Amino acid sequence: MGHKVAETTQNINAFGPGIASKRIVQWWFKKFSKGDKSPEDECSGWLSEVDNNQLRAIIEANALTTTREVAKELNIDHSMVIRHLKQTGKVKSLLKIPVSGSKSEGHLYVSSSRDAPFKRWHLEEVFLELKDGQKFPVFKHSGENGDEVKKE
């Protein structure tokens, strides 16, 4: 084919960040190398349009939903979820911080989101999950106006 996957991905994304992932480009290269030149996409939805309202509803229903989980639920590529979240003005961050103590270990999860108009970050939820599966809530945002805070 004469082009490398990384180079082709970079060339496609010059038209807009997140248009294509390396995985998608690899898939198309493989498809074309088998002689299949049809534009039909058997990945059932990877290149289809996404309803931004549906995407926003999924994210708002559970602030701890990862963008990869959303992509799987909507049967689309992960990069498309990222691009559409930026269009809706919603940006998420989920930090997973390893912690350990004298008796147990686990992860501290910190979830936050940023809204487009003011580009301010809002803490959504913080909880500790131990290796044995126990969860201990530390903080959870409660209230639509962002002023109410519930410490657990």
Side-chain angles (χ1 to χ4, degrees), residues 72-133:
K72 187 175 182 178
E73 182 176 333
L74 295 175
N75 199 24
I76 59 173
D77 185 63
H78 175 252
S79 62
M80 188 171 263
V81 172
I82 300 295
R83 187 176 61 215
H84 280 273
L85 281 175
K86 287 179 182 177
Q87 288 176 359
T88 65
K90 201 76 160 162
V91 178
K92 284 184 39 157
S93 175
L94 178 62
L95 299 175
K96 182 179 176 182
I97 306 164
V99 294
S100 62
S102 60
K103 296 183 180 182
S104 188
E105 59 184 58
H107 291 91
L108 183 69
Y109 291 87
V110 180
S111 173
S112 58
S113 64
R114 186 180 79 189
D115 289 318
F118 305 108
K119 297 192 178 185
R120 289 186 235 170
W121 284 94
H122 303 281
L123 185 61
E124 300 287 337
E125 185 172 6
V126 179
F127 68 91
L128 175 66
E129 182 174 29
L130 298 179
K131 196 174 185 178
D132 64 6

Side-chain angles (χ1 to χ4, degrees), residues 12-147:
I12 292 170
N13 288 332
F15 294 100
I19 290 176
S21 68
K22 285 183 184 176
R23 187 176 72 168
I24 292 288
V25 173
Q26 285 173 335
W27 183 85
W28 282 104
F29 271 27
K30 185 177 179 182
K31 177 179 170 134
F32 292 150
S33 69
K34 291 179 180 177
D36 185 355
K37 305 283 192 241
S38 73
E40 302 304 317
D41 179 11
E42 293 97 25
C43 291
S44 64
W46 273 3
L47 301 177
S48 66
E49 286 302 311
V50 176
D51 178 3
N52 286 344
N53 291 328
Q54 181 185 16
L55 182 62
R56 183 181 287 133
I58 291 169
I59 297 295
E60 289 176 357
N62 181 358
L64 296 178
T65 303
T66 67
T67 52
R68 293 196 187 281
E69 291 169 338
V70 172
K72 187 175 182 178
E73 182 176 333
L74 295 175
N75 199 24
I76 59 173
D77 185 63
H78 175 252
S79 62
M80 188 171 263
V81 172
I82 300 295
R83 187 176 61 215
H84 280 273
L85 281 175
K86 287 179 182 177
Q87 288 176 359
T88 65
K90 201 76 160 162
V91 178
K92 284 184 39 157
S93 175
L94 178 62
L95 299 175
K96 182 179 176 182
I97 306 164
V99 294
S100 62
S102 60
K103 296 183 180 182
S104 188
E105 59 184 58
H107 291 91
L108 183 69
Y109 291 87
V110 180
S111 173
S112 58
S113 64
R114 186 180 79 189
D115 289 318
F118 305 108
K119 297 192 178 185
R120 289 186 235 170
W121 284 94
H122 303 281
L123 185 61
E124 300 287 337
E125 185 172 6
V126 179
F127 68 91
L128 175 66
E129 182 174 29
L130 298 179
K131 196 174 185 178
D132 64 6
Q134 293 182 72
K135 290 184 182 180
F136 299 95
V138 177
F139 169 90
K140 184 167 179 120
H141 169 71
S142 63
E144 292 181 21
N145 63 7
D147 295 334

